Each structure stands twice: as structure tokens, then as C-alpha cells.
Amino acid sequence: MTDRDERLQTILRLITEFNKKGVEVTEETRFAQDLEWDSLTVMDFVAAVEDEFDVLITMNRAAEIETVEQLVDAVGELQGSK
Amino acid sequence: MTDPGIEMTVGGAPDGPAARDLFSKFDPLIGQREQLLSTGLTDPFNLVMERVESPTVAICNGRRTILLGTYNYMGMTFDPDVIAAGKHALDEYGSGTTGSRVLNGTYQGHRECEDALREFYGMDHAMVFSTGYQANLGIISTMAGKDDFIILDTDSHASIYDGCALGNAQIVAFRHNDVEALEKRLKRLPPDAGKLVVLEGVYSMLGDTAPLKEMVAVCKAAGAMVLVDEAHSMGFIGEHGRGVAEAQGVIDDVDFIIGTFSKSVGTVGGFCVSNHPKFEILRLVCRPYVFTASLPPSVVATAATSIRKLMHGGSKRAHLLENSRQLHGGLKDLGFKLGTDEPQSAIIAVTMPDLERGAAMWEALLHEGLYVNLARPPATPQGMTLLRCSLCAEHTGEQVREILGMFGAAGRKTGVIG
């Protein structure tokens, strides 16, 4: 498994906890539209991702992330910049 | 299309494409509201107080109503000295300044009001804004620049979020009142970056206080500046009524305190106090301070008089906190679910099972002759519907007992309690 695959698997695991509607999740899944998360759920989820990967995702950055794929790439980038 | 006229009224040219109504984004809210009101319920967000008899009693829909949903914590709105000061200022200085604080809008009264604040907080500098909302908007957006970081609690007040949105700093949120989450995030920031941590003494939705002692220590260790909004604690928490930071012994490590005149002080306006040696420069660079009219002379006169009286409000403070304990204990005994296990401030939040029953309970209380705040998302944390009770030092023990009787009756009527 590549680093990216590992990141994806970890993020999918974290999503499960917040995926109350049981929506099927792929890399194309959008957090707001497909998972129907409100802003509070998004903030809780972002905090979980931050703690899992020991990175910081600012609200400015989070606002630009719409899909699972974008999150996986953003976390990779943030880990790289540490 | 059955009624093309509707499209035209929102701006479409007669032969051009139909205009997109910018209001359509509010349709879900309009629908929710219509559904709620279609049951014949009184609109909880459209109440008119026809007469106000005192800090604790008003006439609403022709009925005498006990007020338990104001922020008039210290009951200063009808204080005779406060009213006399306002009347005098109206006579001497007129009804308004018609100008910015940095141009023609600073009168003697604005200076005296800032003097009163400096004395009240024992700090070197005080800056008065036209509202508390603008104080947060102005200080937060101006102090943190593009490469700086603002670290805030997820349950922060709208004015704090809006201050972040107005500026262009990097925003980092941490879980409500979680010291460890704050510390972790501070440690992940670049060590040399500018950092401003924004906290509140009392969080107004649930009435819970922040663990400022631990949080301020963590902030200082990370080299961050700390701003604490003490809007809901001024005048009655801490030895001198300076707020939760004073009560927890860390006020000297707080760089900025934000406050308001629209709660304990009993009028309207906002402020920031600080010991920072360069603080005064903010008067020239803070846009929500510069580009708005200053407070009317009567308002700053009432504020200054009220602030000076709050310095000596010891017995009122004790009575207010006693009221809070009585109400909290009484509601708990009646079987209501409350926002905090113990009373931590002058706000007691009663959690409702959903918006429908919350609104029904709110209306039943109004019929009993009691006004409380109905709070719902997005103002509330975790999607909760709350009936928020805020006490006043002028509520008598007898009124608190009356209030508990009304809660019992309304709770049983609406099925919120058994």
C-alpha cells in the first residue's frame, strides 16, 4: 500500500464515525452535499483528522476542501510541510 | 408557467431570461418557520414589549410578564443615578454626535466612560466601540494579519467568527473548552508565527465558564496573545466583577478583555481594555471603530455612571448568584435537563427535546407570564434547542419561586416533564 492509500483508508475510517446517514463513500464523495454534514459536524471531523495525522487544517484551508480526494491530498501536503 | 409576473417583480427584464431570485437560498428557513407558525404558535422571534415596568417586569400582549431572558444581570436599566446622568447628558450635549470617534465624535463623556473602564479593570487603556459586536469585529480583524493565526473555541460567539471573517488571518478552531485540544493545536503552529487565542469567560448558550487558568497558561507557554470576551460576567464574577479571568486569578496574563455595555451595564456599546503599550494605535487602524458614528452622549453618560456603581455592587452580586443557584436547583428538582450540572454563571439553559416542543414550551411559559429566550441552531452548540434563562440581581426570591411554579406548569402542559 502506498502512503496515499494508507491515508485514504485512515480517512475513510474517520468518516465512518460521522457518516450517520450511512452514505456510500468514495474519493469523489463531497462532504457538504453528499454526506450532508453541517458546519459543526465538519468542524468535529476536521479536529479528528488533525489529531489522527498530527497536522493543522485551518478553517481557511478546510473551506477549500470539498471532496474526500482533496482531503487525502491536502493531508499529504500538510504532512510533507512539517 | 402560470404566473410570469412573479419573475418580473424580482428584476428580470420582460423579454430577457428570468432573474434568479437571490432570496431562494432562504426557502428552507422560510418553510420551517411557516410550518412552525401554521400550528397557531406565537412567533418566538417577534415579541413586542409594550411597556417595561422595571428590569424584571414588562407588559407583553397586554399581560404582565416576568423577564427571565434579558442580559440585564445587575438591573441597572432603571437605576435613578444612571437615568439622571443620561438625561443630563441629553440636555447638555444633545441627542447624538453625528460623527466618528476619530473626527467629531469624541465628547467629554466618551473620555469619562473610558476612564471609568480603566478604573474598573485596573488597566492602562480602554477603547469604547458603538456595540460589543463591533468591539470583537474590530479588535480581532485588525490585530491578526495575513500570516498570523487566530485560535478559537468552536462555540465562540458570532461576533468572534465574524471578526475572523472580516480579517485575513489563518483560523484554527479547537473543541469547546478542551485545554488539551488547544495545547495540541498551539504546538502544531510555526513557533515564530503571531498567535492570538480568543476565549470567552462565560459561553452564553449553555452558561458554562471556560477553564481560563489552564488555558491562559497553555497560551503563554506557546507565546500566544490572549483575548477574553467577558460580556456575560462583567459586574458579578470575580472579586471586582472583572470576570472569569479575575475569578480564576489569570487576569494579569490576559492581553485584551472585550466587553459590552448591553448586559450588566444596562445600555448599549462595546469596549476593549488592555495594558499593551502600543494599544492606542488601534484607534487609527481599526475600521469598525473609525468608520461608524460614536455612541450618543446620553449612552456614554449612563454607561460611565453604571460602571462606577458596579464597582460597589457586592451585595447585588451575591444576590444574583444566589438567584442563579435557586433557579438551577429548582429546575433540576422539577426534572428539567439543564445545560450545566452546576450553576456556573447567571445563565441557566434548559435543553428541549426538539424545536417544536421548545417553541411550545416557550409559548406556554409566555402564557404563564414568563419570558425566556428560545435559542436554536445555528446559535446553539450541537444542534440543541434551548430555553435560556438569564437572571437579574433585581429578581426577588419570591419571583424565583414564582418562575419555578410557571416552569412546572408549562413543562407538564407540554409534556416536557412528566
Side-chain angles (χ1 to χ4, degrees):
Chain A
M1 225 167 26
T2 64
D3 287 355
R4 193 177 184 287
D5 289 340
E6 264 179 54
R7 275 203 310 281
L8 174 63
Q9 292 313 316
T10 309
I11 284 170
L12 290 175
R13 172 171 58 78
L14 293 173
I15 288 173
T16 312
E17 195 187 322
F18 296 89
N19 187 7
K20 297 272 181 319
K21 303 212 160 118
V23 177
E24 196 195 331
V25 183
T26 67
E27 286 208 46
E28 282 73 48
T29 302
R30 295 166 301 174
F31 295 103
Q33 294 93 328
D34 300 330
L35 294 176
E36 296 179 42
W37 286 356
D38 58 21
S39 59
L40 293 171
T41 307
V42 168
M43 283 171 100
D44 284 343
F45 172 68
V46 167
V49 175
E50 285 181 320
D51 288 346
E52 179 72 33
F53 293 97
D54 193 26
V55 293
L56 203 65
I57 305 172
T58 64
M59 288 173 70
N60 321 46
R61 184 72 190 254
E64 294 166 1
I65 300 172
E66 285 179 7
T67 64
V68 173
E69 181 183 20
Q70 289 168 351
L71 179 63
V72 174
D73 292 335
V75 169
E77 213 179 290
L78 290 164
Q79 280 183 316
S81 66
K82 270 199 303 182
Chain B
M1 194 159 330
T2 53
D3 189 4
I6 289 173
E7 297 297 334
M8 286 170 65
T9 58
V10 297
D15 49 356
R20 179 168 163 73
D21 186 358
L22 296 175
F23 276 60
S24 57
K25 62 173 83 63
F26 306 122
D27 287 348
L29 186 59
I30 290 170
Q32 187 198 46
R33 212 178 122 74
E34 275 169 1
Q35 196 196 340
L36 195 65
L37 297 182
S38 69
T39 59
L41 194 87
T42 314
D43 184 354
F45 304 110
N46 207 8
L47 182 81
V48 177
M49 308 224 171
E50 290 132 23
R51 279 183 43 222
V52 179
E53 291 188 354
S54 73
T56 60
V57 174
I59 308 297
C60 306
N61 304 321
R63 192 187 290 111
R64 186 177 177 278
T65 305
I66 297 180
L67 301 176
L68 190 69
T70 76
Y71 292 137
N72 201 350
Y73 296 124
M74 296 296 276
M76 298 306 282
T77 50
F78 283 86
D79 182 278
D81 296 327
V82 169
I83 288 177
K87 283 182 174 166
H88 179 74
L90 259 177
D91 288 339
E92 297 297 315
Y93 293 94
S95 57
T97 69
T98 75
S100 161
R101 283 299 308 275
V102 294
L103 296 172
N104 59 309
T106 295
Y107 288 9
Q108 189 60 29
H110 297 81
R111 277 290 155 78
E112 284 169 8
C113 190
E114 287 173 345
D115 290 345
L117 282 169
R118 275 202 300 270
E119 266 184 63
F120 185 91
Y121 284 98
M123 294 220 185
D124 295 341
H125 306 281
M127 194 168 157
V128 168
F129 290 76
S130 296
T131 64
Y133 176 83
Q134 279 163 295
N136 267 330
L137 209 60
I139 296 292
I140 293 170
S141 66
T142 309
M143 279 210 317
K146 189 174 160 296
D147 299 321
D148 300 326
F149 288 85
I150 296 172
I151 303 94
L152 52 73
D153 186 295
T154 48
D155 284 6
S156 293
H157 188 258
S159 58
I160 294 172
Y161 276 107
D162 291 357
C164 293
L166 184 65
N168 43 22
Q170 302 299 309
I171 313 301
V172 176
F174 65 90
R175 205 165 73 124
H176 177 54
N177 272 350
D178 187 333
V179 182
E180 197 193 322
L182 168 63
E183 187 174 27
K184 267 191 204 164
R185 277 151 190 80
L186 283 168
K187 284 185 173 158
R188 288 178 198 148
L189 289 170
D192 51 349
K195 307 174 193 82
L196 176 68
V197 178
V198 179
L199 306 168
E200 295 180 48
V202 174
Y203 285 84
S204 66
M205 283 300 128
L206 296 178
D208 53 334
T209 55
L212 290 183
K213 187 166 186 260
E214 295 78 9
M215 288 188 154
V216 171
V218 161
C219 295
K220 291 289 130 180
M225 282 191 167
V226 183
L227 179 155
V228 180
D229 183 329
E230 294 274 14
H232 291 275
S233 55
M234 181 180 183
F236 57 92
I237 294 182
E239 190 192 346
H240 299 91
R242 291 170 184 162
V244 176
E246 182 187 35
Q248 296 186 16
V250 289
I251 195 166
D252 291 340
D253 287 327
V254 172
D255 298 274
F256 309 94
I257 289 178
I258 296 275
T260 177
F261 298 158
S262 60
K263 300 184 171 43
S264 297
V265 177
T267 176
V268 66
F271 63 86
C272 179
V273 293
S274 176
N275 283 327
H276 196 290
K278 296 178 187 167
F279 187 75
E280 294 294 325
I281 196 63
L282 288 178
R283 291 187 201 270
L284 295 184
V285 294
C286 182
R287 294 166 68 90
Y289 177 82
V290 174
F291 294 100
T292 194
S294 66
L295 287 168
S298 55
V299 170
V300 281
T302 52
T305 306
S306 180
I307 291 162
R308 292 196 181 280
K309 288 195 89 162
L310 288 177
M311 292 180 197
H312 311 287
S315 61
K316 268 180 126 177
R317 261 175 228 165
H319 181 65
L320 174 58
L321 297 173
E322 177 55 27
N323 278 347
S324 181
R325 275 190 292 274
Q326 289 294 339
L327 184 67
H328 189 282
L331 288 172
K332 215 170 166 177
D333 291 346
L334 282 169
F336 286 102
K337 214 174 139 229
L338 305 182
T340 55
D341 291 338
E342 300 297 326
Q344 298 183 15
S345 67
I347 298 170
I348 309 290
V350 186
T351 48
M352 292 289 117
D354 49 48
L355 180 59
E356 285 67 30
R357 270 178 287 180
M361 177 77 189
W362 178 87
E363 185 179 52
L365 286 171
L366 194 64
H367 286 165
E368 293 283 327
L370 182 68
Y371 174 76
V372 298
N373 282 156
L374 176 66
R376 59 159 188 197
T380 53
Q382 293 137 46
M384 287 194 271
T385 297
L386 303 170
L387 291 182
R388 289 167 57 247
C389 310
S390 37
L391 288 143
C392 175
E394 299 287 322
H395 282 127
T396 61
E398 179 52 41
Q399 274 177 320
V400 176
R401 282 187 287 280
E402 213 181 319
I403 289 166
L404 286 169
M406 292 167 168
F407 256 99
R412 284 186 291 273
K413 196 177 144 199
T414 55
V416 173
I417 52 170

